[in-house]
Amino acid sequence: MRVVAAMSGGVDSAVAAARMLDEGHDVVGVHLALSRSAATLREGARGCCTIEDSGDARRVADRLGIPFYVWDMAGAFQRDVMDDFVAEYEAGRTPNPCLRCNEKIKFAALLDKALALGFDAVATGHYAQVEQGPAGRELHRAVDPAKDQSYVLGVLDAEQLARSFFPLGRSTKPQVREEAQERGFSVARKPDSHDICFISDGDTRGWLAGRLGERPGEVVDERSGEVVGAHTGAYGFTVGQRRGLGLERSSLDGEPRFVTRVDASSNRVFIGTSDLLGVRQVVGTQPRWCGPAPTGEVRVGAQLRAHGEEIPARARLEGGDGSGPRREDEDGSGPRLEDGDGSGPRLVVDLDEAVRGIAPGQSVVLYEGTRVVGSATIASTAR
């Protein structure tokens, strides 16, 4: 099988490429150039896909004796990941750029180009497993729970899974590093990338401010409606945030305050006590399925953050006509569920227990045991 091994320049993708070669595949290494100014994307161990990383990937490919290419996808990355990231925060939502990159770049643009050039599949260094099930290939959690990346792969559909390989899914990170050392890879002890690759200093609020400018607005108490502070841009806040609220007093009555919601239309940030953060229902739009879509109401595990716990839940699909049920908030403030964009089916997930700090724009990924059922982008929540 002819396989494109996506090589980021890190230890994981290096070992993944080597294992595909060991299995007898015809492997070509490809590094994705995701920025027009790649040298600016990383400081220290942050981020990925820099000029330095390209050189590291090339050295691994040379050691393996496989062809190596750099594919320029800076335009697609700017449009589908970076611009989307800015637009989502501007709209008061909290996006996951790694998930969007997997959906739009690594398993859409990259896979599409590979297939157009006559390759059969793409292999990456993600920690997840693909197994053959009764209805086709299935996506499962990795054996190493600390490194499991099935959450950010929950946007893949059955057709993409059929042409994807994740050779590291049955290994732990220490095992991968040891193997890289044994193979003589220079990246064996290279630090993992972390945070958002295109925000080199980790200052998301500052990065957004440089693109959206200052937009002064009010900080409002959720219960009383009283204006208790001011901010320079609602885009700099997310649900569940406690620090950096800009209040003269960190708590108004001895209790800490958290961001409860962001209203982009009025440029207001609402804050409240921790009891207002618990969410028992999420509604997602644009559901994507890693296999056949579920019918009726199903029992699942729901994961709401990349490193969050799996919560037992009930999930069902509803039509896009806005006819689904709505739930009143316990404080009597009225319904909090919205229909998203109203243009398609909605995924309604009722959680067995409340989860704090869930924001629109994040993703809910559903599991059946270790198998990933599918995912959706959270449009609204209810207590």
Side-chain angles (χ1 to χ4, degrees):
M1 185 176 291
R2 299 190 69 213
V3 177
V4 165
M7 302 182 70
S8 67
V11 62
D12 294 329
S13 60
V15 173
R19 289 184 178 183
M20 294 302 293
L21 193 64
D22 289 348
E23 291 179 10
H25 298 292
D26 180 5
V27 179
V28 171
V30 169
H31 179 81
L32 302 183
L34 300 180
S35 172
R36 296 180 179 89
S37 301
T40 68
L41 272 186
R42 194 179 78 177
E43 292 180 4
R46 295 182 182 274
C48 61
C49 308
T50 67
I51 291 175
E52 172 192 337
D53 295 314
S54 176
D56 288 340
R58 183 178 297 276
R59 282 185 284 274
V60 170
D62 288 345
R63 188 167 185 85
L64 292 174
I66 62 174
F68 178 82
Y69 301 94
V70 176
W71 287 359
D72 182 2
M73 293 193 175
F77 186 78
Q78 176 74 49
R79 179 185 65 250
D80 294 330
V81 180
M82 296 176 68
D83 290 349
D84 175 79
F85 184 83
V86 173
E88 286 292 280
Y89 268 105
E90 187 176 22
R93 296 185 287 266
T94 304
N96 185 317
C98 294
L99 192 146
R100 194 65 61 235
C101 183
N102 285 331
E103 176 187 1
K104 299 291 187 178
I105 306 300
K106 295 177 182 175
F107 297 96
L110 171 62
L111 180 56
D112 288 349
K113 183 171 182 176
L115 296 178
L117 291 174
F119 291 91
D120 302 301
V122 166
T124 74
H126 287 95
Y127 285 79
Q129 300 184 76
V130 176
E131 299 179 1
Q132 189 64 37
R137 283 160 69 86
E138 300 174 345
L139 179 64
H140 286 257
R141 289 192 183 276
V143 299
D144 185 351
K147 294 298 296 181
D148 174 53
Q149 293 174 294
S150 59
Y151 175 88
V152 296
L153 295 171
V155 292
L156 303 187
D157 60 28
E159 184 176 343
Q160 291 169 324
L161 281 176
R163 297 183 178 275
S164 300
F165 288 93
F166 307 116
L168 307 188
R170 293 178 173 83
S171 301
T172 65
K173 184 70 177 212
Q175 289 172 335
V176 170
R177 287 199 181 279
E178 182 178 356
E179 181 176 335
Q181 188 73 39
E182 292 172 351
R183 291 179 182 271
F185 293 162
S186 60
V187 296
R189 300 302 169 193
K190 185 176 180 178
D192 289 341
S193 60
H194 63 280
D195 296 328
I196 300 170
C197 69
F198 52 84
I199 302 179
S200 61
D201 60 1
D203 180 10
T204 300
R205 182 184 291 187
W207 188 88
L208 288 169
R211 285 149 182 80
L212 296 174
E214 288 196 2
R215 301 183 182 182
E218 298 172 337
V219 177
V220 181
D221 183 84
E222 180 75 77
R223 280 202 169 98
S224 69
E226 178 187 358
V227 176
V228 295
H231 64 75
T232 58
Y235 56 75
F237 298 84
T238 187
V239 173
Q241 180 178 331
R242 178 180 177 183
R243 298 181 182 278
L245 301 185
L247 304 179
E248 292 184 5
R249 294 170 292 171
S250 60
S251 62
L252 304 182
D253 53 8
E255 287 190 67
R257 292 301 197 269
F258 303 84
V259 175
T260 55
R261 59 190 172 103
V262 178
D263 186 346
S265 62
S266 65
N267 196 28
R268 285 179 151 193
V269 175
F270 289 81
I271 64 168
T273 48
S274 61
D275 59 295
L276 298 179
L277 291 177
V279 166
R280 291 294 298 268
Q281 186 181 70
V282 298
V283 175
T285 58
Q286 299 176 318
R288 293 174 64 90
W289 308 108
C290 297
T295 58
E297 186 171 89
V298 293
R299 289 291 299 179
V300 292
Q303 187 170 332
L304 302 159
R305 300 185 185 90
H307 303 291
E309 295 182 3
E310 184 179 316
I311 306 298
R314 292 176 288 111
R316 65 186 182 278
L317 277 175
E318 294 182 351
D321 59 359
S323 61
R326 294 173 178 265
R327 176 182 292 179
E328 296 287 328
D329 276 348
E330 295 176 0
D331 62 3
S333 61
R336 292 288 295 278
L337 292 188
E338 301 172 357
D339 292 335
D341 59 11
S343 62
R346 303 181 307 159
L347 178 67
V348 181
V349 182
D350 291 299
L351 305 168
D352 284 7
E353 58 189 73
V355 181
R356 289 174 48 173
I358 303 305
Q362 294 175 321
S363 292
V364 54
V365 177
L366 305 183
Y367 292 83
E368 183 182 66
T370 63
R371 182 178 73 88
V372 180
V373 177
S375 67
T377 300
I378 297 172
S380 56
T381 66
R383 294 196 291 273

